[in-house]
Amino acid sequence: DPARTRWVAQAELTTVLSQGNSESFTAGLGAVLRRQWEKDGLRFEIGGIRTEATKITRQAIGTPTDFLVQTTSDSEKTAESLFASARYDRNLSESFFAYTELDWLRNTFAGIDNRTLIALGAGNTWVDSDRARFKTTLAVTYTTQNDVVDDPTAKSSFAGGRAGYEYWNQLTGSTEFESHLVVDLNVDTTDDVRFDLVNSLAVSISDRLALKPSLQLLFRNRPSLTEVGLFTAGGSDTGDTVLAELEKLDTFFRRALVLKL
């Protein structure tokens, strides 16, 4: 198969724009570059998403019967997530393989300024055909994480374990389904469990273009912290701040245009 002996690239573009009584703009980019040799495989992936929302404030100037409405706009970033990864696979037999992976993530709205993870593990290919592929993996990991707000009870570097699966199915001649799951465990703090689940459906428009809606769930049982202003029961500002946990689950629904090269 010539596609397994050359570099294969795929690019994704996601945009959502609303204007009028409310304004917001979301942009997402992604790219995958991979190559498969007889026993070795390389995969590089980068991507990100950013959302800006504009708050429109209106005020009337004049009298009740003769007035002029003025508007002011204030834009702010409401979501941002960036990631990059590199992975090398080595087939040790027809179905068993070893791999190493390097991941990087920045998600400041989830409290993560940057997180770098190195994984070393192995996996098994259970199904590999023209219609479907299914792989499972296990690995040991080492993670270094810097939060936007420091957690005094958490270590910035720790060892861990990782498990996951990769599933692909050619549902029809023009439709592909993919599902990827990665579960990470912090062995220093065993209640610090997180997972990344992505399900996507790609529908081909042509040989080069496809529409790809996808749903990503990012969960962390022990989320990062944020600083929150402290008020009295009567609503008065004390001038102090306290540390509080962010939400455990982030959900991303994307509708992307995919270009295959």
Side-chain angles (χ1 to χ4, degrees), residues 69-124:
V69 177
Q70 293 185 344
T71 62
T72 58
S73 300
D74 183 19
S75 299
E76 65 175 345
K77 181 172 60 178
T78 58
E80 184 181 54
S81 179
L82 306 172
F83 72 90
S85 68
R87 173 167 158 170
Y88 166 72
D89 290 36
R90 172 73 175 180
N91 291 328
L92 304 179
S93 69
E94 185 175 340
S95 60
F96 188 70
F97 61 91
Y99 81 97
T100 183
E101 186 171 358
L102 176 65
D103 292 342
W104 176 83
L105 172 70
R106 171 172 290 169
N107 189 345
T108 55
F109 285 85
I112 303 170
D113 186 52
N114 66 79
R115 181 171 70 206
T116 303
L117 180 146
I118 300 174
L120 180 62
N124 196 79

CSV table of all heavy atoms in Angstrom, one decimal, residues 69-124:
chain,number,residue,atom,x,y,z
A,69,VAL,N,-29.6,56.1,21.2
A,69,VAL,CA,-29.1,54.9,21.9
A,69,VAL,C,-27.6,54.7,21.4
A,69,VAL,O,-27.3,54.8,20.2
A,69,VAL,CB,-29.8,53.6,21.5
A,69,VAL,CG1,-29.2,52.4,22.1
A,69,VAL,CG2,-31.3,53.7,21.9
A,70,GLN,N,-26.7,54.6,22.4
A,70,GLN,CA,-25.3,54.4,22.2
A,70,GLN,C,-24.9,53.0,22.7
A,70,GLN,O,-25.5,52.5,23.7
A,70,GLN,CB,-24.5,55.5,22.9
A,70,GLN,CG,-24.7,56.9,22.4
A,70,GLN,CD,-23.7,57.9,23.1
A,70,GLN,OE1,-23.2,57.6,24.1
A,70,GLN,NE2,-23.6,59.0,22.5
A,71,THR,N,-24.0,52.4,22.0
A,71,THR,CA,-23.6,51.1,22.4
A,71,THR,C,-22.1,51.1,22.5
A,71,THR,O,-21.3,51.8,21.9
A,71,THR,CB,-23.9,50.0,21.3
A,71,THR,OG1,-23.3,50.4,20.0
A,71,THR,CG2,-25.4,50.0,21.1
A,72,THR,N,-21.6,50.2,23.5
A,72,THR,CA,-20.2,50.0,23.7
A,72,THR,C,-19.9,48.5,23.7
A,72,THR,O,-20.8,47.7,24.1
A,72,THR,CB,-19.7,50.6,25.0
A,72,THR,OG1,-20.5,50.0,26.1
A,72,THR,CG2,-19.9,52.1,25.0
A,73,SER,N,-18.8,48.1,23.2
A,73,SER,CA,-18.5,46.7,23.1
A,73,SER,C,-17.2,46.4,23.9
A,73,SER,O,-16.2,47.2,23.8
A,73,SER,CB,-18.3,46.3,21.6
A,73,SER,OG,-19.5,46.5,20.9
A,74,ASP,N,-17.2,45.3,24.5
A,74,ASP,CA,-16.1,44.8,25.3
A,74,ASP,C,-15.8,43.4,25.0
A,74,ASP,O,-16.6,42.5,25.3
A,74,ASP,CB,-16.3,45.0,26.8
A,74,ASP,CG,-15.1,44.7,27.6
A,74,ASP,OD1,-14.0,44.6,27.1
A,74,ASP,OD2,-15.3,44.4,28.8
A,75,SER,N,-14.7,43.1,24.3
A,75,SER,CA,-14.3,41.7,23.9
A,75,SER,C,-13.4,41.1,24.9
A,75,SER,O,-12.5,41.7,25.4
A,75,SER,CB,-13.7,41.7,22.5
A,75,SER,OG,-14.6,42.2,21.6
A,76,GLU,N,-13.6,39.8,25.2
A,76,GLU,CA,-12.6,39.1,26.0
A,76,GLU,C,-12.5,37.6,25.6
A,76,GLU,O,-13.5,37.1,25.0
A,76,GLU,CB,-13.1,39.1,27.5
A,76,GLU,CG,-14.4,38.4,27.8
A,76,GLU,CD,-14.7,38.4,29.3
A,76,GLU,OE1,-13.8,38.7,30.1
A,76,GLU,OE2,-15.9,38.2,29.6
A,77,LYS,N,-11.4,37.0,25.9
A,77,LYS,CA,-11.2,35.6,25.6
A,77,LYS,C,-11.9,34.7,26.6
A,77,LYS,O,-11.8,34.9,27.8
A,77,LYS,CB,-9.7,35.3,25.6
A,77,LYS,CG,-9.3,33.9,25.2
A,77,LYS,CD,-7.8,33.7,25.0
A,77,LYS,CE,-7.1,34.1,26.3
A,77,LYS,NZ,-5.6,33.9,26.2
A,78,THR,N,-12.8,33.8,26.1
A,78,THR,CA,-13.6,33.0,27.0
A,78,THR,C,-13.2,31.5,27.0
A,78,THR,O,-13.6,30.8,27.9
A,78,THR,CB,-15.0,33.1,26.7
A,78,THR,OG1,-15.3,32.7,25.4
A,78,THR,CG2,-15.5,34.5,26.9
A,79,ALA,N,-12.4,31.1,26.1
A,79,ALA,CA,-11.9,29.7,26.0
A,79,ALA,C,-10.6,29.6,25.2
A,79,ALA,O,-10.5,30.3,24.2
A,79,ALA,CB,-13.0,28.8,25.5
A,80,GLU,N,-9.7,28.8,25.6
A,80,GLU,CA,-8.5,28.5,24.9
A,80,GLU,C,-7.9,27.2,25.3
A,80,GLU,O,-7.7,27.0,26.5
A,80,GLU,CB,-7.5,29.7,25.0
A,80,GLU,CG,-6.2,29.5,24.2
A,80,GLU,CD,-5.3,30.6,24.4
A,80,GLU,OE1,-4.9,30.9,25.5
A,80,GLU,OE2,-4.9,31.3,23.4
A,81,SER,N,-7.5,26.4,24.3
A,81,SER,CA,-6.8,25.1,24.6
A,81,SER,C,-5.9,24.8,23.5
A,81,SER,O,-6.2,24.9,22.3
A,81,SER,CB,-7.8,24.0,24.8
A,81,SER,OG,-7.2,22.8,25.0
A,82,LEU,N,-4.6,24.5,23.8
A,82,LEU,CA,-3.6,24.2,22.8
A,82,LEU,C,-2.9,22.9,23.2
A,82,LEU,O,-2.7,22.6,24.4
A,82,LEU,CB,-2.5,25.3,22.8
A,82,LEU,CG,-3.0,26.8,22.6
A,82,LEU,CD1,-1.8,27.7,22.8
A,82,LEU,CD2,-3.6,26.9,21.2
A,83,PHE,N,-2.5,22.1,22.2
A,83,PHE,CA,-1.9,20.8,22.5
A,83,PHE,C,-0.9,20.5,21.4
A,83,PHE,O,-1.1,20.9,20.3
A,83,PHE,CB,-2.9,19.7,22.8
A,83,PHE,CG,-3.6,19.3,21.5
A,83,PHE,CD1,-3.1,18.3,20.7
A,83,PHE,CD2,-4.8,19.9,21.1
A,83,PHE,CE1,-3.7,17.9,19.6
A,83,PHE,CE2,-5.4,19.5,19.9
A,83,PHE,CZ,-4.9,18.5,19.2
A,84,ALA,N,0.0,19.6,21.7
A,84,ALA,CA,1.0,19.0,20.7
A,84,ALA,C,1.4,17.7,21.2
A,84,ALA,O,1.5,17.5,22.4
A,84,ALA,CB,2.2,20.0,20.5
A,85,SER,N,1.7,16.8,20.3
A,85,SER,CA,2.1,15.4,20.7
A,85,SER,C,3.0,14.8,19.6
A,85,SER,O,2.9,15.2,18.4
A,85,SER,CB,1.0,14.5,21.0
A,85,SER,OG,0.2,14.2,19.8
A,86,ALA,N,3.9,13.9,20.0
A,86,ALA,CA,4.7,13.2,19.1
A,86,ALA,C,4.8,11.7,19.6
A,86,ALA,O,5.0,11.5,20.8
A,86,ALA,CB,6.1,13.8,19.0
A,87,ARG,N,4.7,10.8,18.7
A,87,ARG,CA,4.7,9.4,19.1
A,87,ARG,C,5.4,8.5,18.1
A,87,ARG,O,5.3,8.7,16.9
A,87,ARG,CB,3.2,8.9,19.2
A,87,ARG,CG,3.1,7.4,19.5
A,87,ARG,CD,1.7,7.0,19.9
A,87,ARG,NE,1.4,5.6,19.6
A,87,ARG,CZ,0.3,5.0,20.1
A,87,ARG,NH1,-0.6,5.6,20.7
A,87,ARG,NH2,0.1,3.7,19.8
A,88,TYR,N,6.2,7.6,18.6
A,88,TYR,CA,6.9,6.6,17.8
A,88,TYR,C,6.5,5.2,18.2
A,88,TYR,O,6.5,4.8,19.4
A,88,TYR,CB,8.4,6.8,18.0
A,88,TYR,CG,9.3,5.6,17.5
A,88,TYR,CD1,9.4,5.4,16.1
A,88,TYR,CD2,9.9,4.7,18.4
A,88,TYR,CE1,10.2,4.4,15.6
A,88,TYR,CE2,10.6,3.7,17.9
A,88,TYR,CZ,10.8,3.5,16.5
A,88,TYR,OH,11.5,2.5,16.0
A,89,ASP,N,6.2,4.4,17.2
A,89,ASP,CA,5.8,3.0,17.5
A,89,ASP,C,6.8,2.0,16.8
A,89,ASP,O,7.3,2.3,15.7
A,89,ASP,CB,4.4,2.7,16.9
A,89,ASP,CG,3.2,3.4,17.6
A,89,ASP,OD1,3.5,4.5,18.1
A,89,ASP,OD2,2.2,2.8,17.7
A,90,ARG,N,7.0,0.9,17.5
A,90,ARG,CA,7.9,-0.1,16.9
A,90,ARG,C,7.2,-1.5,17.0
A,90,ARG,O,6.9,-2.0,18.1
A,90,ARG,CB,9.2,-0.2,17.7
A,90,ARG,CG,10.1,-1.4,17.3
A,90,ARG,CD,10.7,-1.2,15.9
A,90,ARG,NE,11.7,-2.3,15.6
A,90,ARG,CZ,12.4,-2.4,14.5
A,90,ARG,NH1,12.2,-1.4,13.6
A,90,ARG,NH2,13.2,-3.4,14.3
A,91,ASN,N,6.8,-2.1,15.9
A,91,ASN,CA,6.2,-3.4,15.9
A,91,ASN,C,7.2,-4.5,16.3
A,91,ASN,O,8.2,-4.7,15.7
A,91,ASN,CB,5.6,-3.7,14.5
A,91,ASN,CG,4.4,-2.9,14.1
A,91,ASN,OD1,3.7,-2.4,15.0
A,91,ASN,ND2,4.3,-2.6,12.9
A,92,LEU,N,6.8,-5.2,17.3
A,92,LEU,CA,7.7,-6.3,17.8
A,92,LEU,C,7.2,-7.7,17.3
A,92,LEU,O,7.9,-8.7,17.3
A,92,LEU,CB,7.7,-6.4,19.4
A,92,LEU,CG,8.1,-5.1,20.0
A,92,LEU,CD1,8.1,-5.2,21.5
A,92,LEU,CD2,9.6,-4.7,19.6
A,93,SER,N,5.9,-7.8,16.9
A,93,SER,CA,5.4,-8.9,16.3
A,93,SER,C,4.2,-8.5,15.4
A,93,SER,O,4.0,-7.3,15.2
A,93,SER,CB,4.9,-10.0,17.3
A,93,SER,OG,3.8,-9.5,18.0
A,94,GLU,N,3.4,-9.4,14.9
A,94,GLU,CA,2.3,-9.1,14.0
A,94,GLU,C,1.3,-8.2,14.8
A,94,GLU,O,0.6,-7.4,14.1
A,94,GLU,CB,1.7,-10.3,13.5
A,94,GLU,CG,0.6,-10.1,12.5
A,94,GLU,CD,0.0,-11.4,11.8
A,94,GLU,OE1,0.8,-12.4,11.9
A,94,GLU,OE2,-1.1,-11.3,11.3
A,95,SER,N,1.1,-8.4,16.1
A,95,SER,CA,0.1,-7.7,16.8
A,95,SER,C,0.6,-6.9,18.0
A,95,SER,O,-0.1,-6.1,18.5
A,95,SER,CB,-1.0,-8.7,17.3
A,95,SER,OG,-0.4,-9.7,18.2
A,96,PHE,N,1.8,-7.2,18.4
A,96,PHE,CA,2.3,-6.5,19.6
A,96,PHE,C,3.3,-5.4,19.3
A,96,PHE,O,4.1,-5.6,18.4
A,96,PHE,CB,3.0,-7.6,20.5
A,96,PHE,CG,3.4,-7.0,21.9
A,96,PHE,CD1,2.5,-6.7,22.8
A,96,PHE,CD2,4.8,-6.9,22.2
A,96,PHE,CE1,2.9,-6.2,24.1
A,96,PHE,CE2,5.2,-6.4,23.4
A,96,PHE,CZ,4.2,-6.1,24.4
A,97,PHE,N,3.3,-4.3,19.9
A,97,PHE,CA,4.2,-3.2,19.6
A,97,PHE,C,4.6,-2.4,20.9
A,97,PHE,O,3.9,-2.5,21.9
A,97,PHE,CB,3.5,-2.2,18.6
A,97,PHE,CG,2.3,-1.5,19.1
A,97,PHE,CD1,2.3,-0.3,19.8
A,97,PHE,CD2,1.0,-2.2,18.9
A,97,PHE,CE1,1.1,0.3,20.2
A,97,PHE,CE2,-0.2,-1.6,19.4
A,97,PHE,CZ,-0.1,-0.3,20.0
A,98,ALA,N,5.7,-1.7,20.8
A,98,ALA,CA,6.1,-0.8,21.9
A,98,ALA,C,6.1,0.6,21.3
A,98,ALA,O,6.1,0.8,20.1
A,98,ALA,CB,7.6,-1.2,22.3
A,99,TYR,N,5.9,1.5,22.3
A,99,TYR,CA,5.8,2.9,21.8
A,99,TYR,C,6.3,3.9,22.9
A,99,TYR,O,6.4,3.6,24.1
A,99,TYR,CB,4.4,3.3,21.4
A,99,TYR,CG,3.5,3.6,22.6
A,99,TYR,CD1,3.2,4.9,22.9
A,99,TYR,CD2,2.8,2.6,23.3
A,99,TYR,CE1,2.4,5.3,24.0
A,99,TYR,CE2,2.0,2.9,24.4
A,99,TYR,CZ,1.8,4.3,24.7
A,99,TYR,OH,1.0,4.6,25.8
A,100,THR,N,6.7,5.1,22.4
A,100,THR,CA,7.0,6.2,23.3
A,100,THR,C,6.3,7.4,22.8
A,100,THR,O,6.2,7.6,21.6
A,100,THR,CB,8.5,6.4,23.4
A,100,THR,OG1,8.8,7.4,24.4
A,100,THR,CG2,9.1,6.8,22.1
A,101,GLU,N,5.9,8.3,23.7
A,101,GLU,CA,5.1,9.4,23.4
A,101,GLU,C,5.5,10.6,24.2
A,101,GLU,O,5.8,10.5,25.4
A,101,GLU,CB,3.6,9.1,23.5
A,101,GLU,CG,2.7,10.2,23.0
A,101,GLU,CD,1.2,9.7,23.0
A,101,GLU,OE1,1.0,8.6,23.3
A,101,GLU,OE2,0.4,10.6,22.6
A,102,LEU,N,5.4,11.8,23.6
A,102,LEU,CA,5.6,13.1,24.3
A,102,LEU,C,4.4,14.0,24.1
A,102,LEU,O,4.1,14.3,22.9
A,102,LEU,CB,6.9,13.8,23.8
A,102,LEU,CG,7.2,15.2,24.4
A,102,LEU,CD1,7.5,15.1,25.9
A,102,LEU,CD2,8.4,15.8,23.7
A,103,ASP,N,3.7,14.4,25.1
A,103,ASP,CA,2.5,15.3,25.0
A,103,ASP,C,2.8,16.6,25.7
A,103,ASP,O,3.5,16.7,26.8
A,103,ASP,CB,1.3,14.6,25.7
A,103,ASP,CG,0.9,13.3,24.9
A,103,ASP,OD1,1.3,13.2,23.8
A,103,ASP,OD2,0.2,12.5,25.5
A,104,TRP,N,2.2,17.6,25.2
A,104,TRP,CA,2.2,19.0,25.8
A,104,TRP,C,0.8,19.6,25.7
A,104,TRP,O,0.1,19.4,24.7
A,104,TRP,CB,3.2,19.9,25.1
A,104,TRP,CG,3.2,21.3,25.7
A,104,TRP,CD1,3.8,21.8,26.8
A,104,TRP,CD2,2.4,22.4,25.1
A,104,TRP,NE1,3.5,23.1,27.0
A,104,TRP,CE2,2.7,23.5,26.0
A,104,TRP,CE3,1.6,22.6,24.0
A,104,TRP,CZ2,2.1,24.8,25.7
A,104,TRP,CZ3,1.0,23.8,23.8
A,104,TRP,CH2,1.3,24.9,24.7
A,105,LEU,N,0.4,20.2,26.8
A,105,LEU,CA,-1.0,20.8,26.8
A,105,LEU,C,-1.0,22.2,27.6
A,105,LEU,O,-0.3,22.3,28.6
A,105,LEU,CB,-1.9,19.9,27.6
A,105,LEU,CG,-3.3,20.4,27.9
A,105,LEU,CD1,-4.2,20.6,26.6
A,105,LEU,CD2,-4.1,19.5,28.9
A,106,ARG,N,-1.7,23.1,27.0
A,106,ARG,CA,-2.0,24.4,27.8
A,106,ARG,C,-3.5,24.6,27.7
A,106,ARG,O,-4.1,24.7,26.6
A,106,ARG,CB,-1.3,25.6,27.1
A,106,ARG,CG,-1.7,26.9,27.7
A,106,ARG,CD,-0.8,28.0,27.3
A,106,ARG,NE,0.5,27.9,27.9
A,106,ARG,CZ,1.5,28.7,27.4
A,106,ARG,NH1,1.4,29.6,26.4
A,106,ARG,NH2,2.7,28.6,28.0
A,107,ASN,N,-4.1,24.7,28.9
A,107,ASN,CA,-5.6,25.0,29.0
A,107,ASN,C,-5.7,25.9,30.2
A,107,ASN,O,-6.1,25.4,31.3
A,107,ASN,CB,-6.3,23.7,29.1
A,107,ASN,CG,-7.8,23.9,29.0
A,107,ASN,OD1,-8.3,25.1,29.1
A,107,ASN,ND2,-8.6,22.9,28.8
A,108,THR,N,-5.5,27.2,30.0
A,108,THR,CA,-5.5,28.1,31.1
A,108,THR,C,-6.9,28.2,31.8
A,108,THR,O,-7.0,28.5,33.0
A,108,THR,CB,-5.0,29.5,30.7
A,108,THR,OG1,-5.9,30.0,29.6
A,108,THR,CG2,-3.6,29.5,30.3
A,109,PHE,N,-8.0,28.0,31.0
A,109,PHE,CA,-9.3,28.1,31.6
A,109,PHE,C,-9.6,26.9,32.5
A,109,PHE,O,-10.5,26.9,33.3
A,109,PHE,CB,-10.4,28.3,30.5
A,109,PHE,CG,-10.4,29.7,30.0
A,109,PHE,CD1,-9.5,30.1,29.0
A,109,PHE,CD2,-11.2,30.7,30.5
A,109,PHE,CE1,-9.5,31.4,28.4
A,109,PHE,CE2,-11.2,32.0,30.0
A,109,PHE,CZ,-10.4,32.3,29.0
A,110,ALA,N,-8.9,25.8,32.3
A,110,ALA,CA,-8.9,24.7,33.2
A,110,ALA,C,-7.8,24.7,34.3
A,110,ALA,O,-7.7,23.8,35.0
A,110,ALA,CB,-8.8,23.4,32.4
A,111,GLY,N,-7.1,25.9,34.3
A,111,GLY,CA,-6.1,26.1,35.4
A,111,GLY,C,-4.7,25.6,35.0
A,111,GLY,O,-3.8,25.6,35.9
A,112,ILE,N,-4.5,25.1,33.8
A,112,ILE,CA,-3.2,24.5,33.4
A,112,ILE,C,-2.4,25.4,32.5
A,112,ILE,O,-2.8,25.7,31.4
A,112,ILE,CB,-3.4,23.1,32.7
A,112,ILE,CG1,-4.2,22.2,33.5
A,112,ILE,CG2,-2.1,22.5,32.3
A,112,ILE,CD1,-4.7,20.9,32.8
A,113,ASP,N,-1.3,26.0,33.1
A,113,ASP,CA,-0.5,26.9,32.3
A,113,ASP,C,0.3,26.1,31.2
A,113,ASP,O,0.4,26.4,30.1
A,113,ASP,CB,0.4,27.6,33.2
A,113,ASP,CG,1.2,28.7,32.4
A,113,ASP,OD1,0.6,29.5,31.7
A,113,ASP,OD2,2.5,28.7,32.5
A,114,ASN,N,0.9,25.0,31.7
A,114,ASN,CA,1.5,24.0,30.7
A,114,ASN,C,1.7,22.7,31.4
A,114,ASN,O,2.0,22.6,32.6
A,114,ASN,CB,2.8,24.5,30.1
A,114,ASN,CG,3.9,24.7,31.1
A,114,ASN,OD1,4.5,23.7,31.5
A,114,ASN,ND2,4.1,25.9,31.6
A,115,ARG,N,1.5,21.6,30.7
A,115,ARG,CA,1.7,20.3,31.2
A,115,ARG,C,2.5,19.4,30.1
A,115,ARG,O,2.1,19.4,29.0
A,115,ARG,CB,0.4,19.6,31.5
A,115,ARG,CG,0.6,18.2,32.1
A,115,ARG,CD,-0.7,17.6,32.6
A,115,ARG,NE,-1.7,17.3,31.6
A,115,ARG,CZ,-3.0,17.3,31.7
A,115,ARG,NH1,-3.5,17.7,32.9
A,115,ARG,NH2,-3.8,17.0,30.7
A,116,THR,N,3.6,18.8,30.5
A,116,THR,CA,4.4,18.0,29.7
A,116,THR,C,4.4,16.6,30.2
A,116,THR,O,4.6,16.4,31.4
A,116,THR,CB,5.8,18.5,29.6
A,116,THR,OG1,5.8,19.9,29.1
A,116,THR,CG2,6.6,17.7,28.6
A,117,LEU,N,4.1,15.6,29.4
A,117,LEU,CA,4.1,14.2,29.8
A,117,LEU,C,4.9,13.3,28.8
A,117,LEU,O,4.8,13.5,27.6
A,117,LEU,CB,2.6,13.7,29.8
A,117,LEU,CG,2.3,12.3,30.2
A,117,LEU,CD1,1.0,12.2,31.0
A,117,LEU,CD2,2.3,11.3,29.0
A,118,ILE,N,5.7,12.4,29.4
A,118,ILE,CA,6.4,11.4,28.7
A,118,ILE,C,5.9,10.1,29.0
A,118,ILE,O,5.8,9.7,30.2
A,118,ILE,CB,7.9,11.5,29.0
A,118,ILE,CG1,8.5,12.9,28.6
A,118,ILE,CG2,8.7,10.5,28.2
A,118,ILE,CD1,9.9,13.1,29.1
A,119,ALA,N,5.6,9.3,28.0
A,119,ALA,CA,5.1,7.9,28.2
A,119,ALA,C,5.9,6.9,27.5
A,119,ALA,O,6.5,7.1,26.4
A,119,ALA,CB,3.6,7.8,27.6
A,120,LEU,N,6.1,5.7,28.1
A,120,LEU,CA,6.8,4.6,27.6
A,120,LEU,C,6.0,3.4,27.9
A,120,LEU,O,5.8,3.0,29.0
A,120,LEU,CB,8.2,4.5,28.2
A,120,LEU,CG,9.1,3.4,27.7
A,120,LEU,CD1,9.4,3.5,26.2
A,120,LEU,CD2,10.4,3.3,28.5
A,121,GLY,N,5.6,2.7,26.8
A,121,GLY,CA,4.7,1.5,27.0
A,121,GLY,C,4.6,0.6,25.8
A,121,GLY,O,5.5,0.6,24.9
A,122,ALA,N,3.6,-0.2,25.8
A,122,ALA,CA,3.4,-1.2,24.8
A,122,ALA,C,1.9,-1.4,24.5
A,122,ALA,O,1.1,-0.9,25.3
A,122,ALA,CB,4.0,-2.6,25.2
A,123,GLY,N,1.6,-2.0,23.4
A,123,GLY,CA,0.2,-2.2,23.1
A,123,GLY,C,0.0,-3.4,22.2
A,123,GLY,O,0.9,-4.1,21.8
A,124,ASN,N,-1.3,-3.7,22.0
A,124,ASN,CA,-1.7,-4.8,21.2
A,124,ASN,C,-2.7,-4.4,20.1
A,124,ASN,O,-3.6,-3.6,20.4
A,124,ASN,CB,-2.3,-5.9,22.1
A,124,ASN,CG,-2.3,-7.3,21.4
A,124,ASN,OD1,-1.3,-8.0,21.3
A,124,ASN,ND2,-3.5,-7.6,20.9
